[in-house]
Amino acid sequence: MNVPDTVPSSVPGRDWYARPVLDVARDLLGATLTTRTPDGIVGLRLTEVEAYDGTTDPGSHAYRGPSRRNATMFGEPGRLYVYRHLGLHHCVNVVCGPEGEASAVLVRAGEVVDGADLARSRRLASGVARTDRDLARGPARLAVALGLDLSDDGADVTAPEGHVVLRHPLVEPVETPAVIRTGPRVGVSGDGGRADLFPWRFWLDAEPTVSAYRAAPART
DNA sequence: GGTACGATTGTCT
DNA sequence: GACAATCGTACCT
């Protein structure tokens, strides 16, 4: 794979995810999520995420308590929660916080840093050709690029030999310190229209791969 | 067993 | 910028 060994990185253990969801969300920016499938490897440097704070967060799938769909959120941190949206798209989350709290970070966008050819062919197979910048710009495109679907729900990202692995850089790049920006979450309508109360979207400033903000449709 | 609704995207105007 | 597409899940009867 192309990820050079000279870039110090580690695979955080379960405890790393068992922290407050806002801390984990912030720390996930710049980390790389890598999927290994029979047809190859795709690595993604995360540039945009959103935090969902378990059963106390009206915007979270966990707000109404455990169900078959969100069971993974109530389980161990450090696992993938994948769900289908609008019957068309998949969205990928990383479960965090203490087990049972059901907090999760939605992975919204990233920059393909490995396996761009494979990511591109997956995107082509799913529809229309796009620029490389769009390969993983938006949660559904990101899932396609990484080749993730419902069968990956519950996958453990803390296992270095697993088929989905999250790596975290041990040291921040000194020359290009990451500027982290925050804002209202995208498309969350369960917050009573008060998206401003939950400025829990985090992204890396000046990243072309960050998806465009769209407010949730007003709820009647 | 039926119905309403969505953490979005692509396409058309 | 606006809108249709499309189906699993939750919630109701």
Side-chain angles (χ1 to χ4, degrees):
Chain A
M1 80 171 92
N2 295 330
V3 177
D5 293 335
T6 51
V7 176
S9 66
S10 67
V11 178
R14 210 165 299 292
D15 289 349
W16 191 82
Y17 297 93
R19 298 177 295 142
V21 61
L22 295 180
D23 293 348
V24 178
R26 205 173 278 269
D27 290 347
L28 279 174
L29 291 174
T32 56
L33 188 60
T34 305
T35 56
R36 189 198 320 268
T37 57
D39 46 351
I41 287 174
V42 171
L44 197 71
R45 174 174 161 265
L46 306 184
T47 57
E48 182 186 2
V49 299
E50 278 178 12
Y52 289 85
D53 194 15
T55 54
T56 61
D57 177 359
S60 170
H61 281 175
Y63 185 57
R64 296 169 196 271
S67 69
R68 201 164 78 188
R69 172 172 64 154
N70 64 22
T72 306
M73 295 180 86
F74 288 84
E76 286 186 314
R79 289 186 180 272
L80 238 45
Y81 167 51
V82 182
Y83 67 93
R84 185 178 274 272
H85 179 58
L86 288 181
L88 296 167
H89 316 293
H90 296 290
C91 293
V92 179
N93 301 250
V94 180
V95 178
C96 57
E99 180 169 351
E101 191 183 285
S103 296
V105 175
L106 170 67
V107 183
R108 289 193 53 86
E111 174 194 6
V112 175
V113 292
D114 198 15
D117 288 340
L118 177 55
R120 206 174 294 122
S121 68
R122 281 175 176 152
R123 293 278 297 135
L124 281 167
S126 76
V128 191
R130 291 289 167 184
T131 64
D132 282 5
R133 171 198 181 220
D134 284 335
L135 282 178
R137 182 171 181 256
R141 299 178 209 181
L142 178 148
V144 170
L146 286 177
L148 293 171
D149 60 28
L150 288 181
S151 68
D152 298 293
D153 185 44
D156 189 351
V157 300
T158 69
E161 301 306 320
H163 72 288
V164 187
V165 185
L166 189 131
R167 290 187 178 76
H168 193 267
L170 286 178
V171 285
E172 297 296 328
V174 178
E175 289 147 21
T176 57
V179 176
I180 296 177
R181 307 192 65 89
T182 66
R185 295 181 294 189
V186 177
V188 176
S189 56
D191 53 16
R194 302 303 308 276
D196 53 312
L197 294 180
F198 299 91
W200 291 349
R201 187 164 74 106
F202 301 88
W203 68 94
L204 295 178
D205 196 24
E207 281 285 343
T209 53
V210 171
S211 58
Y213 173 70
R214 249 187 268 188
R219 211 141 98 150
T220 52

